[in-house]
C-alpha cells in the first residue's frame, strides 16, 4: 500500500510542477520519501525530463472531415498501409525499465508534411517523421498500440492497423 501511495504522490508532484521548476527528493528519518520544490536539509536535486506534447486537431475539424469524406477520415487513398515493424503483433517481451521502441512504416512512404502518431492504449504517446518513437516506463501487462498518419494541420489522414503486445517487468513490490 505504501508503494502505491508513493507512486501516486510522485506522479501528482511531477504533473503539478511548472515546466521550469526544480524538483528535490528528500528522505526523512523514517525512510519516507518526499518530492518538493523547496529544498530542506539533505535534499537531492532530481532531473525531470520534459513532457511530450502532441497537437491534436480541433473537434470541429474532425467533424468537417467526416462530413466531406462520407465517413472516411482525411485522404484515406493517400496510403495503402501503415504498419508496425516493431513490436510485432501479439509479441511478449521483457523490459525491466518498461521502455518500448515503436517502429512504423507506410506504403507508399510518408508524404512531405505528414508524420506518424503512435497511440498506446488509446492515448497519443508520440509523433515522428522517422518512423521510430520510444516510450519509457510502460507498465507491465498487455497493451494496444495504434498508428495514424497526421498532416501538417494535425488532422488524421490515415489510420493503420493496431497491434497488441505484452511487457514482462519485475514487480514493484520486490
Amino acid at each position: 500500500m505504501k508503494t502505491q501511495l508513493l507512486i501516486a504522490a510522485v506522479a501528482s508532484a511531477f504533473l503539478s510542477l511548472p515546466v521550469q521548476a526544480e524538483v528535490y527528493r528528500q528522505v526523512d528519518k523514517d525512510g519516507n520519501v518526499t518530492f518538493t520544490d523547496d529544498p530542506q536539509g539533505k535534499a537531492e536535486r532530481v532531473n525531470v525530463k520534459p513532457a511530450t506534447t502532441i497537437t491534436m486537431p480541433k473537434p470541429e475539424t474532425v467533424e468537417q472531415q467526416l462530413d466531406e469524406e462520407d465517413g472516411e477520415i482525411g485522404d484515406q487513398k493517400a496510403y495503402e498501409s501503415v504498419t508496425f515493424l516493431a513490436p510485432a503483433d501479439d509479441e511478449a517481451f521483457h523490459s525491466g525499465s518498461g521502455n518500448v521502441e515503436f517502429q512504423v512504416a507506410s506504403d507508399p512512404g510518408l508524404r512531405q508534411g505528414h508524420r506518424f502518431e503512435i497511440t498506446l492504449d488509446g492515448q497519443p504517446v508520440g509523433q515522428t517523421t522517422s518512423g521510430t518513437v520510444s516510450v519509457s516506463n510502460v507498465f507491465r501487462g498487455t497493451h494496444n498500440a495504434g498508428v495514424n498518419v497526421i498532416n501538417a494541420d494535425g488532422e488524421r489522414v490515415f489510420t493503420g492497423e493496431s497491434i497488441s503486445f505484452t511487457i514482462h517487468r519485475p514487480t514493484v513490490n520486490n
Side-chain angles (χ1 to χ4, degrees):
M1 183 66 177
K2 273 187 176 182
T3 304
Q4 292 173 341
L5 186 58
L6 176 62
I7 291 172
V10 170
S12 296
F14 284 116
L15 293 174
S16 64
L17 291 173
V19 173
Q20 298 296 328
E22 293 182 357
V23 178
Y24 298 91
R25 179 182 183 267
Q26 297 174 217
V27 181
D28 67 13
K29 63 182 180 193
D30 297 323
N32 296 320
V33 178
T34 307
F35 292 88
T36 180
D37 62 349
D38 183 25
Q40 297 175 1
K42 296 181 180 180
E44 62 184 60
R45 186 162 187 252
V46 177
N47 291 325
V48 180
K49 295 180 181 177
T52 301
T53 58
I54 299 171
T55 305
M56 299 299 291
K58 296 178 182 174
E60 52 273 2
T61 304
V62 173
E63 289 173 9
Q64 179 182 2
Q65 283 181 307
L66 288 172
D67 291 341
E68 291 174 357
E69 299 293 333
D70 296 323
E72 290 186 4
I73 298 175
D75 184 7
Q76 289 283 349
K77 295 174 182 67
Y79 297 93
E80 289 182 29
S81 67
V82 178
T83 57
F84 281 92
L85 303 175
D89 192 22
D90 292 326
E91 180 178 359
F93 54 91
H94 292 274
S95 177
S97 59
N99 295 341
V100 179
E101 182 174 277
F102 295 101
Q103 295 177 0
V104 295
S106 64
D107 182 31
L110 202 59
R111 289 183 173 185
Q112 186 171 352
H114 289 185
R115 59 193 181 278
F116 297 111
E117 174 187 63
I118 306 299
T119 62
L120 182 62
D121 298 327
Q123 299 299 316
V125 292
Q127 294 183 357
T128 181
T129 56
S130 70
T132 301
V133 171
S134 295
V135 180
S136 300
N137 201 25
V138 177
F139 290 122
R140 64 186 178 160
T142 302
H143 300 276
N144 293 311
V147 59
N148 302 306
V149 176
I150 307 297
N151 67 15
D153 296 326
E155 300 167 341
R156 187 182 317 151
V157 295
F158 191 87
T159 299
E161 294 294 320
S162 61
I163 62 166
S164 177
F165 63 93
T166 303
I167 295 180
H168 300 283
R169 291 183 68 180
T171 179
V172 293
N173 294 328
N174 288 339

